[in-house]
Amino acid sequence: MPTPTLLVLDAEPLPRLGRLTGRARIEHTDAAHLAERLPRADVLLVWDFTSRAVRDAWPGGGPRPRWVHTASAGVDHLMCPELAASDTVVTNARGIFDQPIAEYVAALVLAMAKDLPRTLELQRERTWRHRESRRIAGTRAVVVGSGPIGRAIARTLGALDITTALVGRAARSGVHGPEDLDRLLARADWVIAAAPLTDETHGMFDARRFGLMQPSARFVNIGRGQLVVEDALAEALAKRWIAGAALDVFETEPLPSGSPLWRAPDLIVSPHMSGDVVGWRDELGQQFVELYERWASGEPLRNVVDKQRGYVPGH
């Protein structure tokens, strides 16, 4: 059997693939040359998971890889109708980011409850101003997205004695369906967006949903930027419909300097880093190598994405 060709859509630093020496013919490409190199690849590793080059290159002529792996939890950046309709298997980095993101969400909840951004601001001003902060034990959270990341967030918030409801694509044991979301939003102190980007979730947090939330509620998005109508969130903060928010993902990244979100009151902006802990790239590389070894030996792959739904189905 000829040695399979593994094509890597590059990003710096490059993945460590030394364990595949002699077991794969490894080629590297940038976005500009992806289309011409796709036809001779058996496997595509989308290491540059911020690139939309796959969506542009895939519809072209010629053979296509039998397997595509993206070093990210979301697959919206690569999915196009032609890929979705093909026999190509798509896998993702499910499992790598769950706990780091959950810890980041917990840190944001604590920071907002304890008014840490204002404390740091006053410290820089050398201003001594006593304030009261908020107790989080006994508060209520809604986590929208019942996959591994959402479940990890719920467990971590539960350790802080926050009562947490999970909302998923359909109701099942321990998970509310979308028909319960509006009712839960109206009672929540914390609303966490952790859903994949699909036709159903695009723009789901709009002016109507922000209007349903309590004036004391705070909103966190670590899912996808397109889950949120950003102008509606900026208005909700400016008009004090909600007490605050934290965004780690945005419709356009990096966030443009002219975006009103930079000036929105009581908003924490972070640069898509909630899951990126020390060593995360090595973990992504190791995960792919292990998947490749399964693929090469004919074993079933893990983390197989349902290409119509846009995520790995739950169990």
Side-chain angles (χ1 to χ4, degrees):
M1 178 178 175
T3 303
T5 297
L6 165 60
L7 182 63
V8 182
L9 179 57
D10 284 344
E12 293 293 340
L14 297 176
R16 296 181 180 179
L17 302 175
R19 273 171 54 185
L20 300 184
T21 301
R23 306 172 67 183
R25 184 182 300 106
I26 301 174
E27 299 183 1
H28 294 267
T29 187
D30 57 14
H33 297 93
L34 177 62
E36 66 187 72
R37 293 175 180 168
L38 267 181
R40 61 174 181 262
D42 297 293
V43 178
L44 173 64
L45 168 57
V46 185
W47 191 248
D48 183 0
F49 53 80
T50 65
S51 172
R52 297 175 66 86
V54 175
R55 294 176 65 102
D56 297 331
W58 195 271
R64 288 293 179 262
R66 291 173 282 161
W67 168 35
V68 173
H69 177 79
T70 178
S72 61
V75 299
D76 48 280
H77 61 290
L78 58 85
M79 201 60 66
C80 60
E82 293 81 3
L83 174 54
S86 73
D87 294 331
T88 296
V89 175
V90 176
T91 57
N92 72 353
R94 178 183 173 113
I96 297 294
F97 301 106
D98 307 353
Q99 192 55 36
I101 291 178
E103 293 171 4
Y104 198 87
V105 169
L108 290 171
V109 167
L110 285 164
M112 288 188 284
K114 304 308 177 184
D115 201 21
L116 292 185
R118 182 61 175 156
T119 295
L120 295 172
E121 182 181 342
L122 291 170
Q123 179 181 344
R124 286 190 293 270
E125 297 172 358
R126 302 184 183 184
T127 299
W128 183 277
R129 182 175 301 161
H130 180 271
R131 289 144 18 251
E132 295 177 346
S133 64
R134 185 174 185 182
R135 186 195 305 269
I136 62 170
T139 58
R140 293 174 172 156
V142 174
V143 178
V144 182
S146 60
I149 292 173
R151 294 197 301 271
I153 292 169
R155 287 194 303 271
T156 303
L157 295 182
L160 297 172
D161 200 19
I162 298 174
T163 301
T164 305
L166 276 171
V167 178
R169 182 173 180 267
R172 60 184 188 274
S173 178
V175 178
H176 294 268
E179 64 277 5
D180 292 337
L181 178 57
D182 288 356
R183 174 178 61 82
L184 292 168
L185 288 179
R187 303 173 61 197
D189 301 291
W190 312 98
V191 178
I192 318 297
L197 180 61
T198 66
D199 290 343
E200 291 76 20
T201 63
H202 192 285
M204 68 183 303
F205 289 101
D206 54 10
R208 185 186 72 82
R209 286 225 158 100
F210 289 125
L212 290 174
M213 297 180 197
Q214 301 181 88
S216 58
R218 290 173 169 88
F219 174 77
V220 176
N221 185 16
I222 49 77
R224 282 289 181 265
Q226 292 87 348
L227 301 179
V228 177
V229 178
E230 293 179 347
D231 289 345
L233 174 59
E235 181 181 19
L237 290 167
K239 293 183 176 179
R240 304 294 180 184
W241 293 350
I242 60 175
L247 301 180
D248 186 58
V249 288
F250 303 87
E251 186 168 0
T252 300
E253 296 182 4
L255 184 63
S257 60
S259 170
L261 294 175
W262 287 113
R263 303 182 301 279
D266 298 304
L267 175 64
I268 298 173
V269 170
S270 60
H272 204 148
M273 58 179 281
S274 61
D276 301 349
V277 295
V278 174
W280 66 285
R281 290 184 178 89
D282 288 341
E283 291 182 36
L284 287 172
Q286 180 179 343
Q287 180 188 56
F288 173 74
V289 168
E290 291 172 355
L291 285 172
Y292 184 91
E293 290 171 341
R294 293 180 66 90
W295 178 81
S297 63
E299 297 179 58
L301 286 169
R302 300 189 182 101
N303 293 4
V304 175
V305 172
D306 182 321
K307 294 186 292 182
Q308 302 305 318
R309 295 184 182 181
Y311 55 88
V312 178
H315 299 291

